Amino acid sequence: MKHLTNRMFAVITVLLAILALALAVVSLPHPAYAEDGDASAQTSDGGGAAPVAGPVPNIIVTNFTYGGDSVAAGSKFDLAFTFQNMGQVAVSNMVVTVDGGESFAIAGGTNTFYVDALWAGYSLTQSLPMQAVSSAKSGAQPITVSFRYEYVDSGSRSSNQSDIKISVPVSQPDRFEIGEPALPDQAFAGEETTVTMEYVNKGKGDVSNVEATMEGEGFDATMKTQYVGNVASGATGSIGYAFTPQSAGELDAKLKITYEDSDGQTKTKEFPVKLAVSEQMPMTDPTMDPTMNQTVDQGLPWWVWVVAVVVAAGVVAVIVVLVRRRRKKKAKDDIDEEWDDWSGNSGASGTAAGDAASGVTGRAGAGTGTADAAVTEIIDSGKALGAAAVSGGTEAGAPGADGGKRAGGFRAAASHKA
């Protein structure tokens, strides 16, 4: 009897446990999956009830990859994305479309895919080749993934659509180019000099926070770091760095240019600078006119001076020749005038001599002799007529003991010579 009682107690305990488990299972919520056709639920009394449908299903993208931190403009990449049915109702006849917008294009194949059915809670992964266009802007660029699908709601078929946007970062190649430093022709200790550098942004993205720093020893500068700022795509400019060498010799320095590219990455470019520094130039006299120094520094070439000297010498030579010719012409005109005067006086002397030969008085002969003697002193000539006149004058000019007979005889002889 006692043994039978223990067995019955065990059976009762097992039945109670089974009952409790059954109640627990019945109390759990059961999702309703709608399917094609007329679905009905039978009640215990055999009557029909309206079907129970779940909420509208939602399709979302849970994950996507594009191969790295960013996509370079113009490069190809594989876009893979995972989408999941987050609702409690299965979907069917799903069409998936990928739109890259202005920044991306399909590198091959199609951008549309078909999915027969996707049950509630299930997910799928799709991959397609894409390419970032070369003109894409730097930064995160959108890609739109669209889902169009159908589902059964309360025994009727419905459709829905959802658009999901994902972002893929695009980076433009760094084409910020900086030319070699342009050094001055001469540099003197204690005098300020400038080193310049040309730059151009050939990339399609902007460059920001450009700074120029000159590092080294042996020079002084009021600003060791210069802030240039942002450089837009296609912009050009120059960086000038002013400094003063402290002493003569070779100056070793380094120009460092730092900037942020279109991806926000900090980059640095360095350029070594070697400059020969001369001794300080001697101080100029403060009393001197600065315009005179400027004239000397900016003098004409030597050959200009040579040409000027030659031209001046030619002008002087022409002037000298003209003056000499004028003087010679004037001297000749004076001689001609004196010759004309002498010719008139000679005619007068001849007349007087003829008169003397005809028997003019000795006093008249003496007067004629005096006039001829004066003409002889002017032209210094040795002609016979002048000599005769001079001799006649001399003889005539000595009257005295001989009387008129000597005078008359001399005049006869002179008239014969003539």
Side-chain angles (χ1 to χ4, degrees):
M1 185 70 179
K2 185 177 180 181
H3 178 72
L4 181 61
T5 302
N6 292 335
R7 181 178 293 180
M8 289 179 65
F9 180 77
V11 171
I12 292 171
T13 303
V14 172
L15 291 175
L16 291 176
I18 293 173
L19 180 61
L21 181 61
L23 291 175
V25 172
V26 171
S27 63
L28 291 176
H30 295 278
Y33 297 98
E35 297 181 358
D36 293 342
D38 294 333
S40 60
Q42 299 294 332
T43 60
S44 58
D45 56 357
V52 179
V56 177
N58 292 320
I59 308 299
I60 64 172
V61 175
T62 58
N63 187 27
F64 67 96
T65 59
Y66 46 85
D69 295 334
S70 63
V71 177
S75 64
K76 296 180 180 181
F77 64 99
D78 290 331
L79 176 64
F81 58 93
T82 301
F83 55 96
Q84 184 177 2
N85 182 0
M86 302 300 293
Q88 297 181 356
V89 178
V91 299
S92 60
N93 298 326
M94 178 183 291
V95 177
V96 182
T97 304
V98 179
D99 183 10
E102 298 180 354
S103 301
F104 304 96
I106 303 300
T110 181
N111 66 332
T112 304
F113 307 94
Y114 177 78
V115 179
D116 182 35
L118 183 63
W119 297 96
Y122 281 77
S123 62
L124 289 176
T125 299
Q126 184 64 49
S127 178
L128 72 160
M130 300 193 70
Q131 180 179 7
V133 298
S134 59
S135 60
K137 295 182 179 180
S138 298
Q141 303 301 324
I143 296 178
T144 303
V145 182
S146 299
F147 301 94
R148 291 181 301 169
Y149 52 89
E150 297 177 354
Y151 66 98
V152 176
D153 183 15
S154 300
S156 63
R157 183 173 294 273
S158 301
S159 63
N160 193 20
Q161 179 177 349
S162 61
D163 298 330
I164 308 299
K165 289 185 179 294
I166 60 178
S167 296
V168 176
V170 177
S171 62
Q172 284 287 342
D174 181 16
R175 301 187 63 190
F176 183 58
E177 298 182 1
I178 304 174
E180 292 294 330
L183 304 179
D185 295 335
Q186 289 183 334
F188 298 95
E191 294 186 5
E192 187 178 75
T193 185
T194 304
V195 175
T196 58
M197 303 177 68
E198 303 292 333
Y199 64 83
V200 58
N201 184 9
K202 294 183 178 180
K204 293 181 173 60
D206 296 343
V207 175
S208 58
N209 297 328
V210 180
E211 293 182 351
T213 305
M214 190 170 184
E215 299 179 350
E217 298 179 355
F219 65 91
D220 297 326
T222 56
M223 295 178 59
K224 291 189 175 181
T225 300
Q226 298 186 50
Y227 181 74
V228 180
N230 301 336
V231 181
S233 174
T236 62
S238 61
I239 302 173
Y241 194 91
F243 62 97
T244 303
Q246 296 176 351
S247 59
E250 188 177 72
L251 177 64
D252 290 334
K254 180 171 58 178
L255 283 174
K256 182 183 294 185
I257 309 298
T258 60
Y259 62 94
E260 296 179 4
D261 61 7
S262 58
D263 295 335
Q265 302 294 325
T266 302
K267 295 187 177 181
T268 303
K269 294 184 178 181
E270 297 180 354
F271 301 88
V273 174
K274 289 187 177 182
L275 184 63
V277 181
S278 303
E279 293 290 344
Q280 187 175 8
M281 296 183 64
M283 299 296 295
T284 58
D285 189 359
T287 60
M288 295 180 63
D289 188 1
T291 58
M292 295 177 60
N293 294 334
Q294 184 176 5
T295 304
V296 173
D297 295 337
Q298 300 179 355
L300 297 175
W302 62 270
W303 58 270
V304 176
W305 294 106
V306 173
V307 172
V309 171
V310 172
V311 172
V315 173
V316 172
V318 171
I319 294 174
V320 171
V321 171
L322 293 177
V323 170
R324 287 185 178 180
R325 286 183 179 180
R326 185 166 183 173
R327 287 181 179 178
K328 287 182 179 181
K329 183 177 180 181
K330 185 176 180 181
K332 183 177 180 182
D333 293 341
D334 293 342
I335 293 174
D336 291 340
E337 291 177 0
E338 292 176 358
W339 178 260
D340 294 338
D341 295 341
W342 178 81
S343 296
N345 293 332
S346 298
S349 298
T351 303
D355 292 341
S358 301
V360 183
T361 60
R363 183 176 299 175
T368 304
T370 303
D372 292 339
V375 173
T376 303
E377 291 177 358
I378 294 173
I379 64 176
D380 295 330
S381 175
K383 293 184 178 181
L385 182 59
V390 173
S391 299
T394 304
E395 294 294 333
D402 293 339
K405 184 177 181 179
R406 284 185 65 184
F410 177 77
R411 283 191 293 271
S415 179
H416 176 73
K417 288 181 179 180

